Amino acid sequence: MISHHLADSILKILLNRPEKKNAFTVSMYQELTKVLSEGDQNPEVKVILISGAGNAFSAGNDIADFMNSPITHEDAPPINLLKILAGLTKPLIAAVDGVAVGIGATMIFHCDLVYAQKDARFIFPFVSLGLVPEGAISLLLPRLIGHQRASEILLFGEALSAEDAHQVGFINKVILEPSALPYAEQRAKKLTALSSGSIMNTKSLLKGIALKKEVLHQIEVEGKLFVDRLHGPAAKEALIAFLEKRTPNFEGLE
Ligand code: COA
């Protein structure tokens, strides 16, 4: 479900569950967390590149898994993954084809370079699912575009096109070719020719020590609210509605 290999100093990671649009199961979170943290510590790795199989980046948390193995505390696999992503010291590049939903979209905010194919869609459906945002996006998005524009995106959870994402400012380039991956690979290769120490120092300066602390704190605060809401009636209704392929009815549900 998570494939990876190291070639020419680039750790290439593939979210590989195409029949479910690479939706994350608990074991996929655990695998990806392990691969990323080992890659970050491996001196042979200069750049990490992540993409999804089958014309999708990731449809986010597996909805059936949300029901069958719900997160029960803040120290849960998705939250551990987000913390690792936020703390990576090596450059992380994402190539996004197709959908990036939920954690598939919030993880983009922890990448250093993001290239998206023109038909890619970014969806933050937290409120539509009776949940709250995660991955510190409730901090990072308003910092990027202001409170009102962030509210429009996070409250309605409507899909953003690659062009929208470029205008908002969280992707570097819209790729017109059938896949963003070859371009992302070229950029990764170009980075490997540079000094890895200089790249890592620059990444650390760009992220900022104070902001990094704030981001980790926000991930924890969001995680607590997320877990509380996941066990509440609104999220239950939304998740069952998704599995029953119908619109949720939030009437009378907080
Ligand atoms: N969890 C479990 N299964 C998922 C999934 C998810 N998050 N996202 C997609 N799938 C499954 C679909 O149920 C479908 O399975 P099926 O073929 O057995 O019916 C398959 O993946 C293909 O998805 P489909 O909905 O047919 O593709 P689409 O291109 O029409 O729509 C999405 C793609 C991602 C927009 C849509 O599937 C969706 O909204 N998924 C839920 C995303 C979500 O809310 N994630 C949680 C965020 S916290």
Side-chain angles (χ1 to χ4, degrees), residues 176-192:
L176 302 180
E177 280 74 40
S179 167
L181 187 56
Y183 185 80
E185 283 173 338
Q186 273 178 38
R187 300 305 273 172
K189 191 165 180 227
K190 192 163 184 179
L191 278 185
T192 63

Side-chain angles (χ1 to χ4, degrees), residues 193-208:
L194 302 171
S195 146
S196 54
S198 177
I199 291 173
M200 282 160 68
N201 287 344
T202 304
K203 170 166 177 161
S204 149
L205 290 166
L206 283 167
K207 290 267 178 188

